[in-house]
Amino acid sequence: MSLLASVGRGTIQRAEYIGGLTIQFYRGAAAAWRANPLTGSRLRWASTIQHMAVVGVNALPVVCLIAACTGLIMALQGGAELRQLGAIQLVINLVAVSMTRELGPLITAIVVVGRSGSAFSAEIGTMVVTEEVDALRSMALDPIEFLLVPKYIAMLLMLPCLTIAANTAGILAGGIYIYFTLDMGFALYIRAMLEALLLRDIVSGLIKSIAFGTIIVHVGCYEGFHVTGGPVGVGRSTTAAVVKSIFLIILADLLFTAFFYFFWR
């Protein structure tokens, strides 16, 4: 195969993937709106609550632990450099702003991809292999509404909550460094942190978390719905869901950061 043919084939495949993902997003958003209790439509509340527990409650300890370690590492590294400039107190601003704007949403999303995004792909992929998805269609049940919507709603509700928890854990861990370095009490540290933060820092991070949650659910479910090759294909789709989700999360983070930098300062 020539280089031109290889590039063309790869471009077409990626365009088809983006198109399929976009169609699924539209169908999922429409089905989620139809599942609104105000419209009188049914929603699988038991499944949604179960996914909320798996995505949110069960992931809380590991998210907080990783975020706390990240906040402390950032304080240690930033403090080592700022100490040379005599601006060690700026570590508070560094940790608070970095966690709320960037690291909190990003760390949370990556952890949830590993825990839940892969699980979504494996679950739906197994149902495709065992023809359970075909059985749903034969009973006039939309797989998007039956399988994707509960996961989507659970993710949209829980990922911002996890992001807030990660922000809090990272900022409090940074306070440990400030306490032992500047002998600053936690009450004074919290007051200085609140003065350093702006509302747009917190809101921008929560907006990112909603976008990241959308990416995690739709990429995981899309890979699951398009499994081929039996059990081996389920493993491939799970790996692809994690890799593609992380790539798209990083790309979305770049785009949101650029937008906020140029248009919301």
Side-chain angles (χ1 to χ4, degrees), residues 7 21 56 63 93 98 100 103 106 128 131 137 160 167 169 187 207 245:
V7 172
L21 204 59
V63 167
N93 301 54
S98 298
T100 53
L103 292 179
L106 196 59
V128 170
E131 299 182 351
R137 293 193 179 99
N167 294 341
I207 292 174
S245 294

Side-chain angles (χ1 to χ4, degrees), residues 131-143:
E131 299 182 351
E132 293 181 52
V133 174
D134 294 333
L136 290 176
R137 293 193 179 99
S138 68
M139 292 185 292
L141 294 174
D142 183 9

Side-chain angles (χ1 to χ4, degrees), residues 23 28 44 49-50 53 57 61 64 69-70 77-78 82 92 118 142 147 152 159 161 177 196 236-237 239 263:
I23 293 173
R44 298 178 64 216
I49 294 173
Q50 180 181 2
V57 179
C64 290
C69 293
T70 303
Q77 295 290 349
L82 292 173
I92 301 173
S118 58
D142 183 9
L147 298 175
Y152 190 28
L159 200 62
C161 297
Y177 173 82
R236 286 199 300 264
S237 71
T239 303
F263 300 103

Side-chain angles (χ1 to χ4, degrees), residues 239-260:
T239 303
V242 174
V243 173
K244 292 177 182 178
S245 294
I246 292 177
F247 171 76
L248 291 176
I249 284 170
I250 299 295
L251 181 61
D253 184 54
L254 172 62
L255 296 177
F256 274 106
T257 300
F259 176 81
F260 292 142

Side-chain angles (χ1 to χ4, degrees), residues 2-263:
S2 66
L3 177 61
L4 184 60
S6 177
V7 172
R9 183 184 299 273
T11 303
I12 292 173
Q13 289 176 350
R14 284 160 179 78
E16 289 177 347
Y17 185 86
I18 294 174
L21 204 59
T22 303
I23 293 173
Q24 179 183 277
F25 169 76
Y26 173 77
R27 292 180 60 192
W33 172 253
R34 290 196 303 269
N36 188 335
L38 298 179
T39 64
S41 180
R42 62 187 183 276
L43 173 64
R44 298 178 64 216
W45 285 107
S47 177
T48 302
I49 294 173
Q50 180 181 2
H51 285 302
M52 289 173 64
V54 173
V55 171
V57 179
N58 295 349
L60 185 61
V62 65
V63 167
C64 290
L65 179 60
I66 294 176
C69 293
T70 303
L72 185 55
I73 291 170
M74 183 181 303
L76 291 169
Q77 295 290 349
E81 299 299 323
L82 292 173
R83 185 191 297 274
Q84 301 177 12
L85 303 175
I88 190 68
Q89 68 277 4
L90 292 181
V91 173
I92 301 173
N93 301 54
L94 174 66
V95 173
V97 174
S98 298
M99 287 301 301
T100 53
R101 285 186 182 181
E102 294 292 335
L103 292 179
L106 196 59
I107 290 171
T108 303
I110 291 175
V111 172
V112 172
V113 165
R115 292 190 76 261
S116 301
S118 58
F120 294 163
S121 177
E123 175 189 342
I124 296 178
T126 303
M127 295 181 68
V128 170
V129 170
T130 57
E131 299 182 351
E132 293 181 52
V133 174
D134 294 333
L136 290 176
R137 293 193 179 99
S138 68
M139 292 185 292
L141 294 174
D142 183 9
I144 296 294
E145 182 177 347
F146 194 82
L147 298 175
L148 186 146
V149 169
K151 298 176 176 61
Y152 190 28
I153 294 177
M155 187 68 72
L156 291 183
L157 292 175
M158 298 310 298
L159 200 62
C161 297
L162 285 175
T163 300
I164 294 173
N167 294 341
T168 304
I171 291 172
L172 292 179
I176 298 174
Y177 173 82
I178 296 296
Y179 176 78
F180 287 104
T181 304
L182 299 180
D183 196 21
M184 178 186 294
F186 272 102
L188 187 58
Y189 171 77
I190 295 298
R191 186 180 305 169
M193 179 269 297
L194 293 175
E195 292 177 355
L197 282 178
L198 298 176
L199 181 61
R200 66 169 175 263
D201 298 329
I202 301 173
V203 172
S204 62
L206 295 180
I207 292 174
K208 288 181 180 180
S209 69
I210 294 174
F212 295 164
T214 301
I215 291 172
I216 294 169
V217 171
H218 283 283
V219 172
C221 293
Y222 185 84
E223 292 294 335
F225 281 127
H226 292 80
V227 165
T228 56
V232 177
V234 176
R236 286 199 300 264
S237 71
T238 302
T239 303
V242 174
V243 173
K244 292 177 182 178
S245 294
I246 292 177
F247 171 76
L248 291 176
I249 284 170
I250 299 295
L251 181 61
D253 184 54
L254 172 62
L255 296 177
F256 274 106
T257 300
F259 176 81
F260 292 142
Y261 179 79
F262 288 109
F263 300 103

